[in-house]
Amino acid sequence: MTACATAPAATQGPAGPAQADLPQDYRLGAGDKVRVITYNEPTLTGEFDVSSAGYVSLPLIGEVRAKGLTTTEFQNAVAAALKAGYLKDPRVSAEVLTYRPFYIMGEVNKPGEYPYAHGMTVLKAVATANGFTYRADTRRVFIKRSDQSAESEQVLGPNTLVNPGDTIRIGERFF
């Protein structure tokens, strides 16, 4: 099985800069959109969504599990599925085009779901949600990471990062 990885630095378009900011072990999840390129096979190349069940439906091979896998692990799984009866030596590349949204609630003017953007911090997320309410605690924030079961309290600073799928809660200050 041969798989060629696309380096984030060489990637053009919306996925390039965002991949450089995320950990190398970024795990795919429901809501992500991936581009799969199969070398010399244009009918097996395209952009695909990770379903709520965590699978990507691909031509010829059907559903391939993506949830919890890195892009390298996912492209290896696609290459293995193609090699199992369809292509002799598949060369597959996968990259994330758009990341799953983040959620913000609590003492912001417009709580809700928002698209993840390159270099997202909590302060940028609050700005996306039209700012703090007058009751907001602007010194701390509660973040539930998509891969964790509980939220953690963090000091709210200019470099407090948000990851795709995170839930941010801005608490109420006490006088």
Side-chain angles (χ1 to χ4, degrees):
M1 158 176 62
T2 304
C4 56
T6 302
T11 304
Q12 298 296 319
Q19 284 181 330
D21 287 351
L22 293 172
Q24 289 291 348
D25 61 347
Y26 174 74
R27 302 286 174 172
L28 295 170
D32 287 335
K33 184 172 193 159
V34 294
R35 176 184 297 142
V36 177
I37 301 169
T38 306
Y39 181 70
N40 273 346
E41 297 291 339
T43 59
L44 301 177
T45 296
E47 298 175 2
F48 308 94
D49 294 318
V50 179
S51 72
S52 60
Y55 290 86
V56 173
S57 185
L58 298 168
L60 197 62
I61 57 176
E63 292 195 338
V64 177
R65 185 174 73 88
K67 184 177 181 180
L69 301 179
T70 65
T71 53
T72 302
E73 292 168 341
F74 173 69
Q75 72 189 19
N76 290 339
V78 171
L82 287 169
K83 190 170 185 173
Y86 299 104
L87 297 177
K88 195 172 202 173
D89 186 24
R91 296 175 191 259
V92 177
S93 176
E95 64 182 339
V96 179
L97 289 178
T98 56
Y99 295 93
R100 56 191 171 269
F102 70 91
Y103 306 88
I104 187 163
M105 59 186 191
E107 295 300 322
V108 292
N109 288 311
K110 289 187 104 175
E113 173 184 312
Y114 293 95
Y116 178 81
H118 165 67
M120 183 64 67
T121 64
V122 172
L123 290 178
K124 288 179 183 177
V126 168
T128 302
N130 285 358
F132 294 110
T133 65
Y134 72 93
R135 293 184 304 261
D137 182 351
T138 58
R139 293 174 297 184
R140 63 186 178 142
V141 62
F142 299 91
I143 300 176
K144 183 193 168 299
R145 303 289 181 194
S146 62
D147 60 347
Q148 297 174 350
S149 60
E151 64 182 19
S152 63
E153 181 179 339
Q154 297 184 23
V155 173
L156 180 55
N159 298 322
T160 308
L161 292 176
V162 174
N163 294 325
D166 284 357
T167 301
I168 304 161
R169 183 171 61 87
I170 304 297
E172 187 175 359
R173 66 184 154 102
F174 297 104
F175 297 96

